[in-house]
Amino acid sequence: MTLINMELLNLDLMLSIRPALAVTVSLIAAGVILCLHNRPNARDAVSVVAAVIKFIIVISMAPLILAGNTVDLTLFEILPGVDFAFRVDALGMVFATVSSLLWILAAIYCIGYMRSQNEKNQTRFYASFAVSLSAAVGGAFAANLFTLVIFYELLSLITYPLVYHKENQESWHGSKRYIVYLVGASKSFLLAALALTYQLTGSFDFLPQGLFKDVVAADGLLIVIYFCYLFGFAKSAIMPFHAWLPAAMVAPTPVSALLHAVAVVKMGVFCLLRVIFHVFGINLMSTLGLGIITAYLVSFTIVTASIYALTRDDLKARLAYSTVSQLSYIILGAAMLTPMAAMGGIIHIAAHAFSKITLFFCAGSIYCASHRKKISDLSGIGKRLPITMTAFFIGSLGMIGIPPTGGFISKWYLVVGSVDAGQMALLIVLLVSAVLNAAYFLPVTYKAFFEREKIPQDPSLLAANDIHEIPMIAMPLLITALLSLLLGLYPDYFLGLANSLVAEAFVDRDLITVGSLP
């Protein structure tokens, strides 16, 4: 009997330490990368191997989470009711799965990109990249607001060197705006929200129906706290706290892909989903009228950012404003306070990540192969870069929400959720934004495949005959494009995770079946 108990204890310990292992594996990798600065092949291999190990650790917990369980680990107590702790649940697993999976492909892509451009400071780049993924997964598995904010701030600080990587005047200016916006919002709005939360509850723990569920406080005070969180988590890029994101475009394209598809921006919307579902809770959000206010606020961001994207000729700038718009779809899904809309918002975390990282990878491939940044210079380039531009087309379909991409699944749930909520205005926003998405994405593909090649006037641009695919860059972007399609064809994994969260969050309300497409 004692032997059986010891075996069960060892099994529980192995399960409980997995969140910590998932976080630390890339921290260890960062240290090894720094030690291998004189051995570039070994250094780059460490990034790929660490990414694979991290993904295996993360995905090994998926069966438990899909079965309705959680994995908990408390490391130490800071104050009464304030622990540094991990808890793996359905929402955290969505973010962690996407981040760890795409790091594998980003690590491979970085090797092709950085070497083809002969970039300086590659060791610092790879080390910072690794730590940023530790911060992302740490935030995904945070058990409470305190732990979440620690990793949120770490992610801001460790990505700062990535933004100023080129160390020129433009990168210094962009990185300054990046850090001022993110840290400034944290030190003002977010710090105030945390202090008031602890004063009212004596805890920072995430609870299924909300930390504030049984709190007695004035409605006005709770509304102030909510908006402090909404603007304090500035990585979500809600207008007018979005300017840091286009400014960060000065970074190398792999960083842009990391910032705008995987780690940084997803951390922002992930934090807001935690606030909506597990700090305030669905019922309190509805009682205070915060859901509809948030929905209209992010709807303004969705439409306005799409219009900005339509006017940009620089490809990365267009993708940046597209990101500002698409992030608000995720928040909109939660803010509509219906099960179907919440499903759509959660699934859009993955759908946007797979499609948007594909688009940024394609922008980097175009630049490495041709030195071209402007859309107006891409006439006929599809003949020279067929893999890149085909992948760009698939990524564009995902952003628009056309089947069979993952973007169709998430936007379908959002549309149905808006109808369930009785919000025809929000339905119109979703339809108008889809038209705008098509208007600023599809012309890029048309220009690449159906317009004649032009002789470049700028001497820095390569002639058509010199343009060709770079295998180490083309392979990852092709895989991410296929992932976007696979999510649309086989969405069960993310649907299962989203359904677990929604069933828990809406347990006190009328719950409709959301486990499969209607």
Side-chain angles (χ1 to χ4, degrees):
M1 191 67 165
T2 303
L3 180 59
I4 294 175
N5 288 339
M6 287 298 295
E7 289 177 349
L8 291 174
L9 181 63
N10 289 335
L11 179 61
D12 289 341
L13 181 61
M14 289 179 63
L15 290 175
S16 65
I17 65 173
R18 288 189 199 180
L21 291 176
V23 173
T24 56
V25 65
S26 45
L27 287 176
I28 295 170
V32 175
I33 288 168
L34 292 173
C35 293
L36 294 174
H37 64 279
N38 289 326
R39 299 173 59 189
N41 290 336
R43 176 199 64 201
D44 297 353
V46 167
S47 294
V48 179
V49 171
V52 172
I53 294 173
K54 180 185 282 286
F55 176 68
I56 291 172
I57 295 172
V58 168
I59 208 67
S60 71
M61 293 181 279
L64 285 170
I65 308 307
L66 287 169
N69 302 306
T70 60
V71 180
D72 297 277
L73 175 64
T74 299
L75 297 181
F76 50 85
E77 184 181 69
I78 305 296
L79 293 170
V82 182
D83 298 324
F84 189 83
F86 296 114
R87 186 174 189 267
V88 185
D89 62 4
L91 181 58
M93 184 57 71
V94 171
F95 184 26
T97 299
V98 170
S99 299
S100 57
L101 174 60
L102 292 181
W103 186 31
I104 301 173
L105 299 170
I108 298 170
Y109 181 91
C110 286
I111 296 172
Y113 184 95
M114 302 300 283
R115 293 193 178 189
S116 69
Q117 297 302 299
N118 295 316
E119 292 279 357
K120 299 179 180 179
N121 302 312
Q122 292 190 30
T123 298
R124 183 184 70 190
F125 175 91
Y126 286 112
S128 298
F129 214 96
V131 177
S132 68
L133 267 297
S134 283
V137 173
F141 292 158
N144 52 57
L145 278 167
F146 175 79
T147 309
L148 178 62
V149 170
I150 292 295
F151 285 109
Y152 179 91
E153 297 291 3
L154 174 60
L155 187 59
S156 298
L157 296 176
I158 198 60
T159 50
Y160 177 63
L162 294 174
V163 176
Y164 74 67
H165 175 80
K166 295 184 178 181
E167 297 185 357
N168 54 28
Q169 191 63 34
E170 186 181 17
S171 65
W172 284 114
H173 178 75
S175 62
K176 186 187 300 183
R177 176 174 291 189
Y178 175 80
I179 203 69
V180 166
Y181 265 82
L182 297 187
V183 175
S186 297
K187 294 299 179 287
S188 51
F189 298 111
L190 186 54
L191 190 60
L194 290 172
L196 290 169
T197 298
Y198 188 71
Q199 177 67 29
L200 291 175
T201 66
S203 173
F204 287 133
D205 291 342
F206 298 131
L207 299 181
Q209 276 74 56
L211 178 61
F212 286 143
K213 180 182 179 182
D214 298 319
V215 167
V216 178
D219 289 354
L221 177 59
L222 293 174
I223 291 172
V224 168
I225 294 173
Y226 175 78
F227 278 99
C228 283
Y229 280 123
L230 191 67
F231 297 126
F233 287 123
K235 290 186 178 73
S236 59
I238 298 173
M239 289 182 168
F241 296 93
H242 71 287
W244 64 269
L245 198 152
M249 286 294 93
V250 296
T253 300
V255 177
S256 300
L258 171 74
L259 294 179
H260 297 165
V262 186
V264 175
V265 294
K266 289 300 186 302
M267 178 69 95
V269 293
F270 174 80
C271 290
L272 289 182
L273 293 190
R274 283 294 192 201
V275 169
I276 292 172
F277 291 127
H278 298 134
V279 177
F280 278 77
I282 296 299
N283 289 332
L284 184 58
M285 289 285 296
S286 179
T287 300
L288 297 175
L290 292 172
I292 191 64
I293 294 173
T294 305
Y296 278 96
L297 180 63
V298 298
S299 293
F300 173 79
T301 299
I302 288 172
V303 174
T304 305
S306 294
I307 294 171
Y308 269 98
L310 191 61
T311 65
R312 294 308 186 263
D313 188 38
D314 185 281
L315 182 56
K316 285 179 66 177
R318 182 168 294 193
L319 295 179
Y321 278 103
S322 169
T323 299
V324 174
S325 175
Q326 294 285 334
L327 289 175
S328 284
Y329 281 102
I330 299 170
I331 305 168
L332 177 62
M336 281 193 276
L337 306 181
T338 66
M340 295 294 277
M343 289 281 289
I346 295 164
I347 296 169
H348 202 62
I349 293 175
H352 174 261
F354 293 151
S355 294
K356 186 52 64 71
I357 199 171
T358 300
L359 295 172
F360 273 109
F361 280 177
C362 291
S365 176
I366 293 168
Y367 178 73
C368 289
S370 66
H371 296 170
R372 302 184 187 195
K373 297 180 180 180
K374 294 184 177 181
I375 297 169
S376 55
D377 292 328
L378 301 185
S379 297
I381 203 169
K383 299 173 185 177
R384 307 293 177 179
L385 302 175
I387 296 175
T388 295
M389 296 315 301
T390 300
F392 189 95
F393 177 63
I394 295 172
S396 299
L397 295 182
M399 290 292 89
I400 299 166
I402 296 176
T405 62
F408 169 73
I409 304 295
S410 60
K411 292 191 177 184
W412 174 267
Y413 276 105
L414 288 171
V415 166
V416 174
S418 67
V419 175
D420 289 343
Q423 292 292 333
M424 294 302 104
L426 299 181
L427 174 61
I428 292 172
V429 167
L430 290 169
L431 297 178
V432 169
S433 65
V435 173
L436 289 172
N437 290 338
Y440 64 73
F441 275 128
L442 295 183
V444 179
T445 302
Y446 178 84
K447 182 176 286 291
F449 283 112
F450 298 105
E451 290 188 359
R452 291 184 178 181
E453 294 178 350
K454 296 178 180 178
I455 299 174
Q457 302 298 316
D458 188 341
S460 66
L461 303 182
L462 298 181
N465 291 335
D466 296 326
I467 299 173
H468 57 83
E469 301 276 11
I470 301 173
M472 190 70 78
I473 292 177
M475 180 182 67
L477 64 85
L478 180 60
I479 295 174
T480 56
L482 292 175
L483 285 174
S484 179
L485 293 174
L486 287 174
L487 177 59
L489 296 171
Y490 304 100
D492 290 352
Y493 174 76
F494 289 105
L495 279 175
L497 292 173
N499 194 51
S500 295
L501 171 63
V502 169
E504 180 183 70
F506 290 83
V507 68
D508 292 333
R509 307 186 73 181
D510 293 332
L511 185 63
I512 61 177
T513 301
V514 293
S516 59
L517 282 171

